[in-house]
Amino acid sequence: MSASSSKASDSFSLLDERIQRWIWQSGWSELKDAQEQAIPAILAGDTDVVIAAATASGKTEAAFLPILTRLLSTEASSCVMYISPLKALINDQWWRLEGLCESLEIPVTPWHGDIAGTKKRNFKKSPTGCLLITPESLEALLMANGHALQGLFGGLRYLVVDELHAFIGTERGKQLQSLMHRIDVALKRFTPRIALSATLGDMDKAAAFLRPNAAVPATVIKSNDAGQALKVLVKGFIDYPLALADPEAWVGDDADFEKSLSQGTRAISEHLFKTLRGSNNLVFPNSRGNVEKYAALLRGYCEDLGLPNEFWPHHGSLAKDVREETEAALKAKGRPATAVCTTTLEMGIDIGSVKSIAQIGCAPSVASLRQRLGRSGRRGEAAILRCYALEAALAPHSPLSDVLRENLVQSTAQVRLSLRSWYEPPNIGGLHLSTLIQQLLALIAQYGGINAAEAWAVLCGSGVFWGVSKPDFILLLRELARKDILIQTPTGLLLHGRVGEQLVNHYSFYAAFAAEEEFRLVHGGKTLGALPLSQPVEKGTHLIFAGKRWQVLSLDIEKKVIAVMPALGGKLPKFDGGNLPVDDGVREEMRQILSETLPIPFLDTTANQLLQEARATFQSMGLDSLPLLAQTHCVQLFPWRGDRVMNTLALMLKQAGFQAENTGLSILIKTDNPEKVFQALHSLAVSPPPDPTALVAEVMNKRLEKWDALLPAELLAKNYSSHTLDVAGAHEFIKRLAARRHSPR
């Protein structure tokens, strides 16, 4: 950093001299915007701080430069806790921080399941420096140390949460909120919380998530640095039926795999191979099954041409060393590599320079798309995004979602919103009562027992589980006692029951989310990864896994091990996995796109042709003026709202006596009398909003999360509705629709 720029930087002058020297030696010319804003706010230590800045914009340094300055200025032993959603991120941050911290004589301790016990014991003997930890490991640490936490974390100065967006709206996020509050309770003081993220749609909601009770103010920092240059292309493909493909190609060892491929899939994989060869890239096809499909195809093209492989799979079911092999290929400078991956490479794991991002189908969300795009163009180059929209060939009775080209329009909406820096607002309204059960059991383990009033105050009165009243909590305690999860002593102390002890003592307890049981795939003594236990596999079965073809040699049902050998043929494994709910803002943008007439510049010729056809249908059906379409034996309602509103509308219409279903773009209502639908909507508009728990009464399976089966029926309904419904949004839509005073055509 030059003398002139350092004088101009008030924030730089606040840093410890040794850190200033490190900045000079690192060749920095200036602090980045997020760093300039964050340094004084974090050093003050009297507020929480939320930092939103693009990937590779120096968020980590924005947090740690002032934090390390504070640690250096504190005479007593002090530490900072960094909480990450991924072990791989912890390993990366360990590598990034160690160089700086070693020169400052500040220890850095990674703590997760793969870290040797010696490092952990050393930290507990001298709890100073930087502790890098996952929520699950932190849970185990709190439970094991109970009343000793005051001594262990007495010098804790800051809690840093990386990739905040990855926690919001999840079981792990609710667990994280509770863990941070339990630390404050144990220390009898507040510890400033610092959150880092690249994609936060609503900063105030993000701050409210970081500290639910708002007892401490939050400083919100949004980087003003100019965004990177961006090149975007959306390519359209028509997926013709398999019947049109050459049946003579479906022979040989690879017949099963060949039959699973459509012409559209082949066309996309061929374009990927032609375009990405010779450079480093990331391809996101949205599911583990699709990762295996495209990785196998692309590797096969390399083999057919006698070329070294350039395409590597990466997803959560692959073994650690298989994933690391992909990461090493991306980092290697002498040979190009492209990873075909799931969200495992979406966040900030260091994989070196990546030229472009390919997104096959719609991204899980706009925020996810932007997060992925942030991996590209990191060294002064433009970020490159190619989206592949695969649309069905139309037939006389094609569903309206195909005719309106839902996937293409949604991908286009996601790109346009991302270009405007719009991201989905954080969903902080879910109750996550499953996690409440886990946290109650953990709290009992931490203190060796706790009375009901104290437990409610820590977990619910604190604002963490904000929607749970005292009567609700008592109802939950009675149900858990009935199931022998809890017992209560005559003095009122809550303890684990027989079943509760079994749950808490199982290794899986520390995770708030459920993981499906899996078979381990092994070749030559090396673990390749894991398949879901529900996957039908038998001796002789062919598989595609880790981008390669295998044949099953043997199965050990008791040990859950599948031994495989290389083979010429294979078929794709099946993995479970769902998409995130679509937000109101995305569907509103989709309607806007269909309402327009001009071609969209970043769509290729095929995509624009498909879009123009969809727009013509949209206009001819009158969906631009009234979102009700009467057809033979049914009415379709097009609210252009997100999935939570759509779920609510379908249930409201069911409650009104109709057979109604949320199909994504529309609510399908079975009826021979469209006028009755409009009358019902008008009646709903003038009535008070319905009770959410009453709406879900007829939903058969309301279990969404790990411990939901332990909830009493009343709380299960309340929990389910909090995650899946938006009663206020649905009621507002119905009122606006009724105000038009028109009947469906």
Side-chain angles (χ1 to χ4, degrees):
M1 179 174 285
S2 66
S4 60
S5 60
S6 64
K7 287 178 182 176
S9 172
D10 291 334
S11 294
F12 180 77
S13 65
L14 297 174
L15 298 173
D16 184 274
E17 269 186 31
R18 288 160 285 185
I19 293 176
Q20 291 178 357
R21 193 176 308 119
W22 178 83
I23 291 173
W24 284 325
Q25 292 170 348
S26 300
W28 293 19
S29 61
E30 60 183 356
L31 294 177
K32 294 186 177 182
D33 176 63
Q35 296 160 359
E36 287 280 6
Q37 296 186 63
I39 287 169
I42 293 174
L43 281 174
D46 54 1
T47 71
D48 294 332
V49 179
V50 180
I51 304 173
T55 302
S57 62
K59 290 188 299 295
T60 301
E61 290 77 12
F64 274 95
L65 294 182
I67 286 172
L68 294 175
T69 293
R70 178 80 181 278
L71 296 190
L72 289 168
S73 68
T74 306
E75 291 184 6
S77 297
S78 57
C79 66
V80 55
M81 185 186 297
Y82 163 94
I83 305 172
S84 165
L86 297 174
K87 292 189 290 186
L89 265 179
I90 287 176
N91 297 338
D92 269 0
Q93 296 293 18
W94 181 18
W95 176 81
R96 289 180 67 182
L97 287 171
E98 226 181 8
L100 169 59
C101 290
E102 187 175 12
S103 66
L104 302 174
E105 298 183 346
I106 293 177
V108 181
T109 305
W111 189 309
H112 55 68
D114 298 335
I115 299 299
T118 305
K119 289 183 181 291
K120 299 174 182 178
R121 287 191 292 272
N122 288 341
F123 176 83
K124 291 179 73 173
K125 288 177 184 175
S126 178
T128 61
C130 303
L131 176 65
L132 317 180
I133 196 165
T134 61
E136 290 73 28
S137 290
L138 180 55
E139 183 70 80
L141 193 59
L142 296 191
M143 288 173 61
N145 290 276
H147 295 286
L149 288 174
Q150 178 71 51
L152 185 61
F153 290 130
L156 184 64
R157 298 290 174 254
Y158 296 94
L159 283 162
V160 179
V161 180
D162 203 359
E163 305 288 0
L164 181 70
H165 65 278
F167 287 111
I168 298 176
T170 69
E171 300 108 300
R172 290 183 92 200
K174 188 58 67 174
Q175 179 185 23
L176 175 62
Q177 288 179 319
S178 181
L179 289 168
M180 291 191 294
H181 181 67
R182 283 162 57 193
I183 289 173
D184 281 358
V185 170
L187 300 183
K188 297 183 173 67
R189 61 174 170 83
F190 95 93
T191 303
R193 302 174 187 175
I194 316 298
L196 313 176
S197 182
T199 51
L200 292 171
D202 185 318
M203 299 291 282
D204 291 337
K205 283 188 176 180
F209 173 84
L210 186 63
R211 192 179 295 271
N213 59 10
V216 178
T219 299
V220 173
I221 294 172
K222 195 165 186 179
S223 174
N224 295 318
D225 282 338
Q228 63 188 150
L230 179 61
K231 297 179 181 178
V232 180
L233 176 65
V234 176
K235 289 188 65 65
F237 292 84
I238 301 176
D239 207 19
Y240 292 103
L242 282 172
L244 298 180
D246 180 9
E248 294 182 5
W250 296 355
V251 294
D253 294 321
D254 220 12
D256 284 341
F257 180 53
E258 295 294 329
K259 290 177 184 179
S260 73
L261 304 175
S262 66
Q263 289 190 10
T265 299
R266 290 179 182 278
I268 290 174
S269 62
E270 288 167 3
H271 187 271
L272 288 169
F273 184 73
K274 177 182 175 182
T275 307
L276 304 185
R277 267 194 64 211
S279 60
N280 283 22
N281 311 273
L282 297 179
V283 178
F284 291 94
N286 285 344
S287 72
R288 288 172 289 173
N290 282 338
V291 165
E292 293 292 353
K293 179 191 298 182
Y294 284 101
L297 277 168
L298 294 164
R299 180 187 288 266
Y301 296 152
C302 291
E303 292 171 351
D304 291 344
L305 294 173
L307 300 171
N309 178 52
E310 293 184 22
F311 299 92
W312 306 79
H314 196 285
H315 60 74
S317 291
L318 295 172
K320 177 188 174 186
D321 58 345
V322 176
R323 296 196 305 271
E324 288 178 345
E325 188 178 12
T326 298
E327 293 161 21
L330 287 166
K331 292 177 185 178
K333 295 182 179 179
R335 179 174 159 188
T338 290
V340 187
C341 52
T342 57
T343 54
T344 50
L345 287 183
E346 182 177 306
M347 289 182 279
I349 301 171
D350 181 21
I351 52 172
S353 178
V354 173
K355 182 178 180 181
S356 71
I357 304 298
Q359 172 65 50
I360 302 174
C362 304
S365 65
V366 179
S368 179
L369 181 67
R370 182 66 241 189
Q371 191 79 15
R372 295 172 178 187
L373 188 52
R375 307 311 304 266
S376 170
R378 288 181 143 196
R379 298 190 179 177
E381 299 179 353
I384 299 172
L385 172 66
R386 295 181 182 90
C387 293
Y388 294 84
L390 187 57
E391 289 291 339
L394 298 182
H397 300 291
S398 291
L400 264 178
S401 61
D402 287 352
V403 177
L404 291 174
R405 302 302 185 188
E406 179 179 5
N407 293 327
L408 170 64
V409 175
Q410 186 171 331
S411 291
T412 305
Q414 288 180 332
V415 171
R416 291 215 313 194
L417 291 167
S418 180
L419 291 172
R420 297 204 297 265
S421 297
W422 179 96
Y423 312 116
E424 292 84 357
N427 174 32
I428 59 176
L431 293 179
H432 297 288
L433 299 185
S434 165
T435 309
L436 172 59
I437 293 173
Q438 184 223 29
Q439 289 300 290
L440 176 59
L441 294 174
L443 201 62
I444 292 170
Q446 179 179 335
Y447 291 107
I450 191 170
N451 69 51
E454 290 173 335
W456 184 86
V458 171
L459 298 174
C460 308
S462 63
V464 174
F465 295 93
W466 54 270
V468 180
S469 64
K470 288 183 179 179
D472 285 341
F473 194 67
I474 292 169
L475 179 64
L476 176 62
L477 293 181
R478 287 173 177 165
E479 182 68 11
L480 295 178
R482 190 179 69 81
K483 292 177 176 174
D484 206 10
I485 308 297
L486 296 179
I487 58 174
Q488 190 170 30
T489 68
T491 61
L493 198 65
L494 296 175
L495 301 173
H496 298 142
R498 180 184 57 83
V499 177
E501 281 187 357
Q502 294 171 356
L503 295 177
V504 171
N505 290 329
H506 194 268
Y507 70 90
S508 66
F509 175 78
Y510 304 119
F513 57 91
E516 186 177 14
E517 285 194 89
E518 295 174 319
F519 280 107
R520 191 161 52 91
L521 262 68
V522 176
H523 167 58
K526 177 183 176 181
T527 297
L528 303 172
L531 277 183
L533 200 60
S534 57
Q535 170 77 16
V537 175
E538 57 188 39
K539 185 176 180 180
T541 298
H542 287 77
L543 291 172
I544 291 175
F545 195 80
K548 299 177 183 178
R549 292 162 172 79
W550 309 94
Q551 186 175 18
V552 175
L553 285 175
S554 63
L555 291 88
D556 188 323
I557 302 299
E558 288 187 8
K559 294 182 179 179
K560 299 185 178 69
V561 172
I562 301 173
V564 296
M565 60 177 282
L568 295 176
K571 64 180 181 179
L572 294 166
K574 295 178 181 178
F575 297 96
D576 293 332
N579 293 324
L580 295 174
V582 178
D583 188 81
D584 287 343
V586 175
R587 291 254 168 79
E588 289 165 1
E589 185 70 13
M590 291 171 69
R591 184 189 184 284
Q592 178 61 34
I593 289 168
L594 288 170
S595 301
E596 296 169 3
T597 57
L598 293 176
I600 293 179
F602 55 78
L603 269 60
D604 76 347
T605 302
T606 300
N608 262 312
Q609 287 174 348
L610 293 170
L611 178 59
Q612 290 305 112
E613 293 169 7
R615 285 170 167 174
T617 301
F618 181 80
Q619 294 291 336
S620 67
M621 290 183 169
L623 295 176
D624 57 327
S625 57
L626 189 68
L628 275 167
L629 180 65
Q631 297 178 300
T632 306
H633 305 307
C634 72
V635 169
Q636 282 186 276
L637 177 63
F638 289 82
W640 303 105
R641 295 292 187 273
D643 283 337
R644 290 183 178 85
V645 168
M646 298 287 282
N647 292 337
T648 311
L649 289 170
L651 291 174
M652 290 172 72
L653 287 162
K654 281 184 178 180
Q655 201 175 56
F658 294 94
Q659 187 178 341
E661 177 187 359
N662 173 14
T663 63
L665 275 189
S666 70
I667 307 293
L668 182 64
I669 308 158
K670 298 290 182 67
T671 181
D672 290 319
N673 191 339
E675 187 62 34
K676 281 189 176 180
V677 175
F678 195 81
Q679 291 171 358
L681 289 169
H682 184 271
S683 177
L684 289 169
V686 298
S687 302
D691 174 19
T693 56
L695 281 180
V696 301
E698 300 304 318
V699 175
M700 294 299 294
N701 184 14
K702 292 187 272 287
R703 297 176 184 177
L704 300 174
E705 297 176 344
K706 185 174 181 178
W707 309 104
D708 279 355
L710 301 180
L711 291 169
E714 181 181 329
L715 293 184
L716 182 63
K718 189 174 182 179
N719 186 64
Y720 179 85
S721 63
S722 77
H723 289 285
T724 60
L725 304 187
D726 179 355
V727 171
H731 195 248
E732 179 62 27
F733 166 77
I734 290 174
K735 288 197 295 183
R736 289 184 181 181
L737 179 63
R740 298 185 184 188
R741 299 180 181 277
H742 291 296
S743 296
R745 289 185 297 278

